């Protein structure tokens, strides 16, 4: 499977599948179209679209930092992050021994926990920017909703590859 190495960040080796690059471009385009439809001039709309891209992938990486931090604290650290589509996966050593369920549970909870903190921070920023309005407020709302619906609540949906699925699998197992 094709995978582009992107280097190391915060002690994690970061890589991306081609699907992440497609999602990146599509998100930029959709963000720009939305801003244009809301009345922004073309250049400002392109800038807003880029803002959406930066905020989404930054939120994604911060979510993974939550997993990495929790993993570090269990003594079974994470190795890296692989971006694919609009999302990403936490990478652990392939030769990891069988670990107790509580280690998997703590690692799985780390991401949504940190994303919840980000949601609260974004909520404060939305409040602060509300009087000014404009593109900055729009981006703050995007970051608030993206973190709330995708990285905090959404990560609990049992979709097979999510934190919710890991929790369902490992919860209560010794
Ligand atoms: Zn997660």
């Amino acid at each position: 499977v094709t995978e582009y190495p992107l280097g190391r960040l915060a002690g994690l080796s970061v890589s991306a599948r081609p699907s992440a690059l497609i999602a990146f471009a599509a998100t930029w385009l959709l963000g720009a179209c939305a801003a244009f439809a809301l009345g922004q001039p073309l250049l400002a709309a392109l800038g807003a679209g880029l803002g959406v891209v930066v905020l989404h992938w930054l939120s994604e990486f911060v979510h993974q930092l939550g997993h990495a931090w929790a993993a570090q604290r269990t003594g079974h650290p994470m190795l890296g992050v692989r971006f694919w589509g609009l999302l990403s996966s936490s990478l652990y050593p392939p030769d990891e021994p069988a670990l107790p369920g509580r280690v998997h549970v703590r690692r799985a909870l780390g991401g949504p926990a940190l994303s919840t903190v980000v949601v609260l921070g974004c909520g404060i920023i939305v409040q602060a920017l509300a009087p000014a309005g404009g593109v900055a407020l729009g981006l703050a709302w995007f970051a608030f909703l993206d973190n709330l619906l995708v990285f905090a609540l959404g990560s609990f949906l049992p979709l097979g590859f999510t934190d919710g699925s890991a929790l369902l699998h490992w919860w209560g197992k010794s």
Side-chain angles (χ1 to χ4, degrees):
V1 181
T2 314
E3 192 175 322
Y4 308 112
L6 302 176
R8 290 186 70 77
L9 193 58
L12 298 166
S13 74
V14 181
S15 63
R17 290 264 164 85
S19 62
L21 303 185
I22 295 166
F24 197 94
T27 302
W28 190 348
L29 191 64
L30 278 175
C33 286
F36 191 67
L38 289 170
Q40 293 298 320
L42 185 59
L43 268 182
L46 286 172
L50 192 58
V52 166
V53 162
V54 169
L55 288 171
H56 176 75
W57 270 274
L58 188 63
S59 301
E60 176 77 63
F61 191 71
V62 168
H63 177 95
Q64 291 292 357
L65 284 181
H67 286 304
W69 185 62
Q72 197 77 43
R73 284 164 52 94
T74 66
H76 300 282
M78 210 171 118
L79 296 183
V81 177
R82 180 193 295 127
F83 289 99
W84 53 271
L86 289 167
L87 300 171
S88 66
S89 302
S90 315
L91 303 180
Y92 294 102
D95 55 351
E96 204 167 50
L99 298 172
R102 65 175 185 282
V103 169
H104 290 285
V105 166
R106 284 174 60 191
R107 295 198 303 199
L109 285 174
L114 188 53
S115 290
T116 301
V117 174
V118 174
V119 169
L120 298 176
C122 289
I124 292 168
I125 294 170
V126 165
Q127 288 290 320
L129 292 177
V135 171
L137 178 62
L139 288 174
W141 266 114
F142 169 76
F144 175 79
L145 293 172
D146 196 25
N147 278 280
L148 176 67
L149 301 176
V150 177
F151 299 116
L153 297 177
S155 65
F156 286 113
L157 292 175
L159 302 178
F161 57 87
T162 52
D163 301 327
S165 293
L167 289 168
L168 275 180
H169 184 77
W170 293 107
W171 197 273
K173 296 215 171 98
S174 51

